[in-house]
Amino acid sequence: MKFSKTVKTIGAAMIIAAVAAGMTGCGNKEGAASGSNDTAQIGFIAALSGSASAYGISQQEGINMAAEEINKSGFKVNIQTEDSKGAPQDAINAAQKMMGNHVSVIIGPMTSNEAKAVWPMTQQAGIPTLGISITAEGMTDGGNYLFRNSVPESMNIPQTVKKTHAMLGYKNVAILYANDNEQHVTAEKYFEQALKAEGVNIVAKETFASKDSDFSAQLTNIQGKNPDAVVICSLYQEGALILKRMREMGMNQPVLGDNGFVSPELGKLAGKAADNVYVSSMWSPNRNDEKTKAFVANYTKKYGHAPDQFAAGAYDGVYMVVDAMKRAGTTTDKAKIRDAMAQMKNFSGVCGTFSFNEKRDPVVDLVLLKMKDGVFQAAN
């Protein structure tokens, strides 16, 4: 589903009303206290509680670490953080509050479903908005104020398939995906296209709903087709349950995952069952780069655990916004900040070297990762 269609679905009247409601929040004490022109006001929306909170907490850690470093450098930023709980309505409420608090940029929300609810509002309000974990297709089509540094599935999945096919030589593949989540529906589509382009047969296709906990029927059907590999498109919670059940059933095939798998929580929950899982990511903690090495060391020292893709993408996101503000020469002129973001070329981050293409999607190299003993490592 294209994002531009979502704007029509929501309706112009609802968007305008929501923006107006947000703007009436100017009397909010938090916004008034933090509204000085010499401090950059940046909003951050993520699921900090609820079933997807592991992603959001990682993002929050990356955001806060970047902000602390930037403030120490002399450039002042204030991060206004709101918990969306992974729910579109809560994300809308958070965005309205931030509009009232006069943020110059919003980072988030965290999921594609939330962004489809919020981004028409921020586009209408002329607030530059940066997605740091949004991978559904067409998400930036809704307007020129919408950006993301997270790689869409159309760029990610073909690399996963091409590299794993060359490495593993599978001929027959089964697909299992969450059919009520835009990200995973999109991922399934691109897996199917990429597999067919490689001459791979899709011998079974099964679906489930997010929050399901019993996948025995789907896996029994897949097992009967005896595939060489299995594609799973889901978040890590359901993914871990599926992997454990697969291995219990004697299904030891390699597994290809979408962006929902790129979390250390997958290995923590699934244990050895997650071995032989492959994903593509812009992030690898093993990159031979001094900036990446320093980030991993400092993050691990600060939080007591290594960063994942969501922390790294969030960390880079704050630096991207500040880089744009510096080049624009303003922390408050949203149009100038937007223009500077659109002109970003060869930004050096901990995830690699970024540019934005004409659709404001990221241009960045990806790494194929393989999980072993609960940890993702570079597979190529």
Side-chain angles (χ1 to χ4, degrees):
M1 181 185 296
K2 291 294 184 182
F3 183 62
S4 56
K5 293 181 181 178
T6 305
V7 177
K8 295 179 183 178
T9 301
I10 292 176
M14 179 180 176
I15 295 171
I16 293 170
V19 172
M23 293 303 182
T24 60
C26 296
N28 182 289
K29 292 181 180 180
E30 179 184 353
S34 59
S36 59
N37 287 348
D38 61 345
T39 299
Q41 301 299 322
I42 300 172
F44 167 56
I45 304 173
L48 304 177
S49 61
S51 61
S53 61
Y55 301 118
I57 291 169
S58 286
Q59 289 185 346
Q60 184 180 41
E61 290 176 350
I63 291 272
N64 289 345
M65 181 172 165
E68 289 175 12
E69 293 175 357
I70 291 165
N71 281 325
K72 288 178 182 177
S73 76
F75 188 99
K76 298 303 179 184
V77 299
N78 178 56
I79 306 296
Q80 300 183 26
T81 299
E82 292 291 333
D83 179 9
S84 69
K85 306 178 182 67
Q89 185 58 54
D90 287 297
I92 289 172
N93 295 341
Q96 289 175 346
K97 181 176 180 180
M98 289 174 177
M99 290 176 190
N101 287 348
H102 303 293
V103 297
S104 296
V105 175
I106 289 177
I107 296 176
M110 196 180 81
T111 67
S112 298
N113 286 348
E114 294 169 276
K116 285 195 169 188
V118 168
W119 281 12
M121 295 166 51
T122 59
Q123 172 67 30
Q124 181 77 19
I127 300 174
T129 306
L130 177 65
I132 52 176
S133 55
I134 304 299
T135 59
E137 199 61 24
M139 291 301 297
T140 59
D141 290 350
N144 63 343
Y145 278 77
L146 309 176
F147 299 78
R148 58 176 161 187
N149 72 2
S150 46
V151 179
E153 301 291 11
S154 61
M155 299 179 183
N156 183 313
I157 286 170
Q159 293 195 41
T160 301
V161 171
K162 191 174 186 66
K163 291 176 181 178
T164 56
H165 187 228
M167 182 184 301
L168 303 173
Y170 46 76
K171 297 179 180 179
N172 300 305
V173 168
I175 300 175
L176 178 61
Y177 70 100
N179 62 2
D180 61 345
N181 183 297
E182 184 69 24
Q183 172 188 333
H184 307 309
V185 171
T186 299
E188 186 280 327
K189 179 179 73 172
Y190 284 104
F191 265 118
E192 185 170 351
Q193 289 180 5
L195 289 164
K196 288 181 178 178
E198 289 288 309
V200 177
N201 299 315
I202 299 172
V203 296
K205 189 187 295 186
E206 297 285 339
T207 66
F208 61 92
S210 301
K211 313 296 185 187
D212 281 357
S213 58
D214 185 0
F215 309 92
S216 298
Q218 296 96 321
L219 291 174
T220 297
N221 291 339
I222 288 173
Q223 189 175 36
K225 300 295 184 179
N226 194 29
D228 303 316
V230 177
V231 168
I232 301 175
C233 304
S234 76
L235 298 180
Y236 67 84
Q237 299 97 324
E238 293 86 3
L241 293 173
I242 293 168
L243 289 167
K244 289 168 77 171
R245 184 66 185 128
M246 278 182 62
R247 304 321 188 198
E248 289 170 358
M249 293 171 63
M251 299 175 66
N252 296 314
Q253 295 97 329
V255 171
L256 282 57
D258 68 351
N259 194 58
F261 268 28
V262 188
S263 170
E265 293 299 314
L266 181 71
K268 292 178 183 177
L269 292 176
K272 293 290 289 184
D275 282 2
N276 216 17
V277 166
Y278 294 84
V279 296
S280 288
S281 173
M282 63 184 182
W283 165 248
S284 172
N286 308 118
R287 284 184 69 234
N288 187 23
D289 174 81
E290 292 306 314
K291 182 174 289 188
T292 302
K293 291 177 181 177
F295 168 68
V296 171
N298 294 336
Y299 184 101
T300 303
K301 180 179 179 180
K302 180 177 180 62
Y303 295 114
H305 59 90
D308 61 11
Q309 171 187 294
F310 296 90
Y315 178 89
D316 275 348
V318 180
Y319 273 100
M320 287 177 174
V321 169
V322 169
D323 173 75
M325 289 177 169
K326 288 179 177 179
R327 287 186 287 108
T330 177
T331 61
T332 56
D333 190 321
K334 300 176 183 66
K336 289 183 178 179
I337 295 168
R338 188 228 79 89
D339 291 346
M341 288 178 67
Q343 294 161 7
M344 187 187 76
K345 298 293 182 185
N346 298 321
F347 170 89
S348 177
V350 300
C351 293
T353 301
F354 287 86
S355 299
F356 285 122
N357 64 17
E358 68 280 357
K359 294 181 66 176
R360 299 164 308 283
D361 281 333
V363 179
V364 61
D365 288 335
L366 299 180
V367 179
L368 181 67
L369 302 176
K370 177 182 179 180
M371 182 163 280
K372 182 178 180 181
D373 297 328
V375 178
F376 278 121
Q377 299 177 346
N380 61 336

